[in-house]
Amino acid sequence: MFSNAQSCWFIRKVICWRAAASIAWAVLLLPPSTVIFVILSKFSLLHPIQTLSECFSLLTSASIIFSFILLCGVIIMVGFLNFEYYTVIPTIACSKIALFGQLLHPRQLINSLVHCIMGVIVAWCSAVTIGFRYETLGYPCAQNNGYPQMCLNEYHLILLMAGAFVGFSHSLLGVIHNMNYVSFHTVQQYKYLRFKGSLPLVVKCSATQALYSVRNYIVVYYFLGYIPRAWICKTLNLHLDSSAHPLDSIAGLLDLSLLYHIWISATFLLFTWYMTLLLFRIFLTEGYSFPVQSSFTEDVDHCLPKVLTEKQPMILKYLALQDLALLSQHSPSRRCEVFSLSQPGGHPHNWNAISKECLSLLADLTQRLVAYHETVATNGRAKSLSSGSERKISSETSGTEDLMSPRPTLLMKTPASVFARSIAGGQQSPLTAPFTPDLDSPFASPALRRLASPVEQGLPWYGTVQSPHIMRRAPKLWTTSTDSHVNGSPPPSPASVPSDKQEPSKPSFLAQFLQNRKEQVLKPCLTLPEASSQALFADSQAHIWALEGLSCLVQASFSEDQFGVIQTTLPSILSCMLVLQEAVDRHFKLPHASSKPVRSTSSMGDSTYKTLRFALRATLKTAIYRITTTFGDHLNAVQLSADHRKRLQQFLEYKE
């Protein structure tokens, strides 16, 4: 964990200033946005000169100045919420139930309430700016008895409720589309160029989302508009004008002028909020250059090798990895500091710390991929590899055990006889307990249940040797890394593996039908395979930078490494990359893993996390090719296992 001093140093000197700068620029851009809104809300094709004069007089009035102060407060609050809720690793719900739980989280409910209040404030400022029939909530009216009374101005009310509805919708869509996710651009640009290039998208998203929100709001107000109207009248002691037509009707809601003003107000609200969000993303993801080494002891914690090893905050780790990727490609002088030796002692501390952290990140991703593949295979949703194509993870990771921590766990083969004996005995051995599938799960296949069913002693084939043809028909749902005799357990007996013909009882047609219907109903609610694959690679941007940094440093070491510090860890780097590539290739063979999602262009939610797995696969292959094309046949002298050497030869021959 980060120490308090280190955390305060980075948050205080970098992140807080960047967030404050983004808010300041959003406030500075508010006056031209307000001027455009005033012109669009009052513009008339028949009287353009009169409209411009009215707009000029309105912009200098006291009401507009007060409204501008309120809008500045809203912008500052939106910027604070962006700073409070941002993340560099998106939160991906792997099921609809999980997404529903995120929407009902108490913190999210408070966020939605705050956005509703801010939406009402912006809507009130818009109503005052538009004027005419939207200016006040109440107006004097005469009833049948002739006495003047204060009546409710429903046009003002419907505009305020529209602001609350748009704010609430924006809060919910922020969770659904991960608008608090901050991604890093591949190409580094100046802040002005990024803002200029993204401004048309902000305008488009604001207008489109406002149109959808107004459509939904009109439907909701048509059915439930009488509730806030009656509550406001009762609370503020206002009356309904009998001569005015109610707006919660088809005739009242088909007023084109009303619909236009609601839409332009919602667009102005979303534009100011999206612009604040865009500026925050631009300032936060700006590159930060960390020193590679320092002559002063108090500045050691600020150097790149030390910062890379820290875990929190994640924005610091991401900026450090981004700086490492840029350093390895574009800064020869800083690369020399990475390759340098410590004095006195002559140890490559900088390279050891950087390479160890990068290899640890890659090993962690490999471990997660292997565990995910084994989980899918155990649940019977993926076809296992044949015995001829099974790999030995223990031999693959032997070359990287000195630098990768923690090491990927070895995958044990769990034969069917183990399940049969453990169930029959009423206990599970410690070896097979973590791998025993959940037979009560709605996604457990019938073949898996038959495989794990106990063998009855009364059956005629109990204790006898079966035909090898029946043995080959048994489903094999578990991949192996080592054979069972390597783990110390005897090979499974053929008599303990039941076949389809040996099934003691077959479920009825009704039971099978109900089970199938249960899976069809619950599976879409309980699991989303594509979302689980996206969540697995949610933090892959860090691994992409680690791959780029390692491969570019290894490539540069061919001509710049005077002391040969990288040559000692080259086998570990190649082994780690090859193991990761095999795990990624296996993952892309699973269903839904290779399907590319459609990118939405009508939302400010950053969807780049949905394609991170494809970017990682391309970066990994590029990193290996970068090393092989640089060293060429010299890699034949590197100590690698037979499997790794065979796979590396494919890259040397450009066959991958």
Side-chain angles (χ1 to χ4, degrees):
M1 294 295 293
F2 242 45
S3 62
N4 292 333
Q6 182 76 358
S7 178
C8 292
W9 160 76
F10 190 73
I11 298 298
R12 183 179 65 254
K13 292 187 177 181
V14 181
I15 302 300
C16 286
W17 280 106
R18 292 186 175 187
S22 66
I23 295 174
W25 275 105
V27 172
L28 290 177
L29 292 175
L30 187 59
S33 305
T34 306
V35 171
I36 295 175
F37 169 70
V38 170
I39 295 175
L40 292 178
S41 61
K42 290 182 170 294
F43 186 74
S44 175
L45 293 175
L46 301 178
H47 307 88
I49 299 178
Q50 182 181 356
T51 301
L52 293 177
S53 62
E54 290 179 358
C55 293
F56 181 77
S57 60
L58 180 63
L59 290 173
T60 56
S61 62
S63 60
I64 290 297
I65 296 176
F66 180 71
S67 300
F68 179 76
I69 295 175
L70 290 179
L71 290 176
C72 290
V74 170
I75 292 297
I76 294 174
M77 189 62 188
V78 170
F80 174 77
L81 292 177
N82 292 335
F83 175 71
E84 183 69 21
Y85 284 88
Y86 84 94
T87 178
V88 293
I89 302 178
T91 303
I92 303 174
C94 296
S95 64
K96 298 178 182 178
I97 296 178
L99 179 60
F100 191 69
Q102 292 179 9
L103 295 175
L104 295 181
H105 194 275
R107 190 179 184 186
Q108 174 58 30
L109 294 178
I110 296 176
N111 187 27
S112 301
L113 179 61
V114 173
H115 276 87
C116 286
I117 297 174
M118 293 190 301
V120 172
I121 295 175
V122 176
W124 182 86
C125 296
S126 301
V128 173
T129 302
I130 298 173
F132 302 117
R133 55 182 180 179
Y134 305 99
E135 191 168 2
T136 58
L137 184 61
Y139 65 96
C141 61
Q143 296 295 328
N144 296 331
N145 53 14
Y147 292 99
Q149 303 182 63
M150 293 298 295
C151 293
L152 175 67
N153 182 10
E154 196 171 356
Y155 288 98
H156 187 88
L157 175 64
I158 196 174
L159 204 59
L160 295 182
M161 298 304 298
F165 184 85
V166 173
F168 180 74
S169 301
H170 173 78
S171 177
L172 295 184
L173 291 177
V175 177
I176 296 174
H177 297 301
N178 275 301
M179 288 189 186
N180 62 335
Y181 168 60
V182 177
S183 65
F184 292 80
H185 280 217
T186 305
V187 180
Q188 296 293 312
Q189 289 182 305
Y190 291 108
K191 293 188 289 291
Y192 170 74
L193 295 178
R194 283 191 60 185
F195 179 78
K196 179 182 177 182
S198 302
L199 192 58
L201 177 62
V202 174
V203 176
K204 177 184 176 182
C205 292
S206 303
T208 306
Q209 189 58 48
L211 190 62
Y212 290 143
S213 299
V214 170
R215 179 200 61 183
N216 299 333
Y217 172 68
I218 291 301
V219 175
V220 172
Y221 194 84
Y222 176 76
F223 290 101
L224 303 176
Y226 67 94
I227 297 177
R229 183 178 59 197
W231 181 75
I232 290 293
C233 290
K234 183 178 180 180
T235 304
L236 301 180
N237 195 20
L238 297 175
H239 300 274
L240 293 176
D241 192 353
S242 57
S243 60
H245 196 77
L247 295 182
D248 56 342
S249 60
I250 296 179
L253 293 175
L254 287 181
D255 188 350
L256 296 181
S257 176
L258 174 64
L259 294 178
Y260 172 75
H261 284 116
I262 294 177
W263 173 74
I264 198 67
S265 300
T267 303
F268 174 69
L269 181 149
L270 293 175
F271 177 78
T272 54
W273 293 2
Y274 285 161
M275 183 177 59
T276 307
L277 177 62
L278 174 63
L279 289 170
F280 178 77
R281 290 175 177 175
I282 292 175
F283 275 87
L284 193 68
T285 57
E286 184 183 6
Y288 187 88
S289 180
F290 295 89
V292 178
Q293 56 186 3
S294 176
S295 303
F296 302 98
T297 307
E298 58 272 12
D299 295 335
V300 172
D301 291 339
H302 301 173
C303 294
L304 183 62
K306 178 64 176 178
V307 170
L308 282 175
T309 59
E310 304 294 349
K311 304 301 180 182
Q312 293 293 335
M314 289 304 299
I315 181 64
L316 175 57
K317 192 176 187 69
Y318 270 56
L319 288 174
L321 288 169
Q322 183 190 42
D323 183 45
L324 174 64
L326 296 176
L327 170 155
S328 62
Q329 300 177 38
H330 308 295
S331 181
S333 60
R334 300 180 69 196
R335 286 200 300 263
C336 291
E337 296 182 19
V338 174
F339 300 147
S340 63
L341 301 178
S342 63
Q343 297 296 333
H347 299 288
H349 293 306
N350 295 333
W351 166 249
N352 287 340
I354 292 174
S355 60
K356 182 177 181 180
E357 180 60 26
C358 293
L359 291 176
S360 177
L361 285 173
L362 300 181
D364 178 69
L365 179 60
T366 304
Q367 182 180 5
R368 288 190 327 218
L369 289 172
V370 173
Y372 178 82
H373 189 274
E374 289 299 312
T375 302
V376 172
T378 302
N379 289 335
R381 292 196 299 266
K383 184 182 295 185
S384 64
L385 299 176
S386 61
S387 58
S389 63
E390 290 171 349
R391 305 293 182 183
K392 295 183 178 182
I393 304 299
S394 59
S395 63
E396 293 173 347
T397 57
S398 60
T400 59
E401 63 182 32
D402 56 336
L403 288 176
M404 291 187 296
S405 177
R407 292 179 56 191
T409 56
L410 297 181
L411 301 178
M412 307 299 183
K413 182 177 180 179
T414 310
S417 57
V418 176
F419 288 113
R421 288 195 299 269
S422 63
I423 295 176
Q427 295 180 352
Q428 294 179 351
S429 64
L431 179 63
T432 61
F435 303 94
T436 304
D438 186 7
L439 299 180
D440 297 329
S441 173
F443 309 112
S445 63
L448 185 61
R449 295 189 179 92
R450 292 196 302 269
L451 185 65
S453 61
V455 182
E456 299 181 5
Q457 298 184 6
L459 296 177
W461 53 79
Y462 180 78
T464 61
V465 179
Q466 300 178 4
S467 169
H469 301 287
I470 299 178
M471 281 287 297
R472 280 193 290 267
R473 285 204 305 267
K476 183 179 180 182
L477 299 178
W478 297 272
T479 57
T480 86
S481 60
T482 56
D483 293 331
S484 57
H485 65 275
V486 177
N487 300 329
S489 60
S493 173
S496 61
V497 183
S499 64
D500 295 341
K501 294 182 179 179
Q502 301 165 351
E503 188 175 347
S505 62
K506 186 176 182 180
S508 62
F509 174 78
L510 180 60
Q512 291 182 353
F513 176 77
L514 293 177
Q515 178 66 23
N516 294 335
R517 295 301 298 174
K518 182 179 179 181
E519 293 182 3
Q520 292 176 4
V521 173
L522 293 180
K523 189 172 183 179
C525 299
L526 296 179
T527 181
L528 295 173
E530 186 176 350
S532 62
S533 181
Q534 295 172 5
L536 193 63
F537 292 90
D539 59 341
S540 291
Q541 183 61 65
H543 304 96
I544 291 173
W545 283 327
L547 287 169
E548 290 180 349
L550 276 179
S551 61
C552 290
L553 287 175
V554 171
Q555 182 187 32
S557 69
F558 189 77
S559 58
E560 299 178 10
D561 186 9
Q562 300 178 0
F563 305 102
V565 298
I566 288 191
Q567 310 307 320
T568 58
T569 56
L570 188 56
S572 302
I573 295 174
L574 288 174
S575 299
C576 183
M577 290 184 179
L578 292 173
V579 171
L580 178 59
Q581 198 221 10
E582 182 174 356
V584 171
D585 289 344
R586 291 175 63 192
H587 179 81
F588 273 88
K589 294 178 182 178
L590 297 177
H592 304 285
S594 59
S595 58
K596 288 191 175 182
V598 179
R599 299 188 64 178
S600 175
T601 58
S602 60
S603 173
M604 279 295 292
D606 199 331
S607 60
T608 54
Y609 65 90
K610 296 181 180 180
T611 57
L612 275 178
R613 59 185 185 273
F614 301 98
L616 176 70
R617 182 175 62 171
T619 304
L620 179 57
K621 186 173 293 187
T622 303
I624 299 177
Y625 269 122
R626 185 179 288 124
I627 297 175
T628 55
T629 54
T630 301
F631 287 86
D633 293 335
H634 296 286
L635 294 177
N636 294 327
V638 178
Q639 294 183 358
L640 295 173
S641 63
D643 291 339
H644 289 166
R645 189 169 299 280
K646 181 179 179 180
R647 197 170 186 88
L648 188 63
Q649 190 64 29
Q650 300 292 324
F651 285 93
L652 290 172
E653 297 175 358
Y654 299 96
K655 293 182 179 180
E656 277 288 341

